[in-house]
Amino acid sequence: MIERREGWEGNDRANEGERDLFPQLKPGVEILDAKTKDKLCFLDKVRPLHKYYPQWYAARQSIRLDPKGKSLKDEDVLQHLPVGTTATFYFRDLGAQISWVTVFLTEYGGPLLLYLMFYFRVPFIYAPKYDFTTSKHWVVHLACMCHSFHYLKRLLETLFVHRFSHGTMPLRNIFKNCTYYWGFAAWMAYYINHPLYTPPTIYGEQQVRIALIIFLFCQVGNFSIHIALRNLRPPGSKTRKIPYPTKNPFTWIFLLVSCPNYTYELGSWFGFTLMTQCLPVAFFTAVGFIQMTVWAKGKHRSYLKEFRDYPPLRSPILPFVL
Amino acid sequence: MWYTGIHVVSAKWGSVMSAPAMGTTKTAHSDVAPKKKRGPGALATAYLVIYNVVMTAGWLVIAVGLVRAYLVRGSYHGLYFSIEKPLKFFQTGALLEILHCAVGIVPSSVVLTGFQVLSRVFLTWAVTHSVREVQSEDSVLLFVSAWTITEIIRYSFYTFSLLNHLPYLIKWARYTFFLVLYPMGVTGELLTIYAALPYVQKTGLYSVTLPNKYNFSFDYYTFLILTMVSYIPLFPQLYFHMMRQRKKVLAHVEEYKTE
């Protein structure tokens, strides 16, 4: 527990040569561990706990007013917090952290490279007689271009477009996420680039053409949404605003959907499924759809909570449906 | 605004901060309220009691069937056939337990329960039922007996718990018999899957090969091998979890023994 430590004005006036009004007070705020009564540290805002516990660098700290509540933000100022004369903060160690950018680059770089390994039929994947051969089906080449384009786009967006709210995420996420992305990429690539691959039979070339149009449309759409979201937020800030349609027609979907980036992403993979007519791709699309729906619903709920004037016509991910 | 005190409490999640203690301070007020467990309503409780009674009865039927068949035949071999139908019925019925968790009338994890029930159902249908040749194996009797005794105890445990009259004997049995029954069951299961392998490979059971128009393949033989391998990390975790539960539950021996 802290003893009365706050005395900015007193200290400032003392510094200016005036009488020290509160001689028992020193500037700043001292933090003690209430349970063990150990002195944790001396803070002037939520950050420098790590000066005393270097293993708990800032990204690992979660300081909150309620043990089960949300973390305080870095920008929060002590005076503006809803505390009485006695304020209790709860500290939680978030565990080892890793930056979002690192995670994204790794989880997207893997599928890009893995797919190409299957496309070029490097040894030990298929029977030796097929090593370094190429498929005779043009849809296989098309699929490789689309898949590679998709992940290249993601990598570039991570580097140049996205503005992240949090710098980091828990370290264990990278293993979980990479397993998912890399695993599915390898599974899909194995079948599409297999010597015994069967190109779409149901509607043949027409199917592939339509699928390609859907895929490209949704790629452009997804990119448009990412740009629109980026422009909502000035560089270096973490403000949150309601996204609205812009001059770009691909963003007009904001009228009906809260998270059109997910809608377009689903559309892209649906197109890819149609293009390759491959069951593992369908599985990947389905699993991604479920995960994105969960995220979209969460985001939609936060929008509704945060903004009272949130457009009522919008659905989380699928217009009117979901 | 003057703050009279600011605490930073390392609650149960943070590691203990070690530094020299400092003067007299207020003891931390625990803001962590105990999670209020809202048990199932009266209707749900009635339903669950009926469910657990029926399941106890069902597995007793299987137990009796096994004993009778043994006495009639005079040997341990081929007893599976005498209890095949009730085994399939009651083991498959356990799928309802996943629903119970999903709906919330039972406070267990859907994922964990789902995993346990599905693995049992998998063994019953996708291995024992599907591969006729293993049905006469002794390993089948091994896991069926283990399951039977376990389930009789488990379902009576739930029944009595719901009625708030749990005899210590049942609780003790539930948390002790597993020490033998669990390894016994696992052995029976693994041996049965192993016995099924050659037949699966020969007939290509449940397998799909390339080329096909959905560009998909599945090798059930490899899948079964991977299933067997998965027992290696999974079984010890579950076993030691039960052992930890046992220590926790049976530690309050003195308080309950008078029941």
Side-chain angles (χ1 to χ4, degrees), chain B residues 90-254:
Chain B
F90 288 101
Q91 185 58 81
T92 312
L95 286 168
L96 282 172
E97 286 164 50
I98 306 175
L99 195 66
H100 299 164
C101 295
V103 164
I105 54 178
V106 169
S108 294
S109 139
V110 175
V111 173
L112 219 55
T113 308
F115 179 75
Q116 289 173 302
V117 174
L118 288 173
S119 69
R120 287 279 193 90
V121 168
F122 173 77
L123 242 122
T124 307
W125 289 99
V127 181
T128 315
H129 165 80
S130 302
V131 186
R132 307 192 147 277
E133 292 86 348
V134 306
Q135 288 168 6
S136 43
E137 292 279 331
D138 291 341
S139 55
V140 174
L141 177 64
L142 201 59
F143 75 74
V144 170
S145 341
W147 291 4
T148 307
I149 305 173
T150 307
E151 299 299 66
I152 293 172
I153 299 173
R154 184 169 75 94
Y155 286 116
S156 22
F157 176 90
Y158 291 147
T159 310
F160 287 117
S161 300
L162 284 162
L163 299 170
N164 285 312
H165 275 98
L166 180 65
Y168 179 75
L169 181 66
I170 306 271
K171 173 155 57 178
W172 179 87
R174 196 214 171 177
Y175 285 101
T176 307
F177 278 37
F178 81 90
L179 290 167
V180 170
L181 293 177
Y182 204 10
M184 189 171 125
V186 163
T187 309
E189 292 171 25
L190 285 173
L191 286 172
T192 308
I193 300 175
Y194 185 73
L197 288 177
Y199 301 103
V200 170
Q201 188 171 48
K202 194 169 65 178
T203 61
L205 181 68
Y206 299 148
S207 301
V208 176
T209 54
L210 289 174
N212 60 74
K213 69 176 174 178
Y214 294 116
N215 293 301
F216 178 69
S217 68
F218 180 70
D219 184 22
Y220 192 46
Y221 176 81
T222 310
F223 179 78
L224 284 177
I225 293 180
L226 291 174
T227 305
M228 289 176 71
V229 168
S230 73
Y231 275 69
I232 299 175
L234 292 172
F235 167 68
Q237 281 190 52
L238 292 166
Y239 194 63
F240 291 125
H241 171 73
M242 280 301 278
M243 286 181 81
R244 279 191 300 264
Q245 292 292 95
R246 175 171 203 264
K247 263 198 199 59
K248 234 182 11 177
V249 170
L250 298 185
H252 308 292
V253 155
E254 294 79 61

Side-chain angles (χ1 to χ4, degrees), chain A residues 6 37-38 85 87 89-90 191, chain B residues 2 4-5 7 17 25 31 217:
Chain A
E6 193 169 319
K37 290 147 197 151
D38 296 335
T85 52
F89 294 127
Y90 292 88
Y191 288 106
Chain B
W2 301 111
T4 55
H7 318 236
M17 333 265 188
T25 49
D31 278 351
S217 68

Side-chain angles (χ1 to χ4, degrees), chain B residues 76-87:
Chain B
Y76 291 109
H77 307 299
L79 296 182
Y80 168 77
F81 302 99
S82 49
I83 45 85
E84 180 177 7
K85 285 206 173 32
L87 174 70

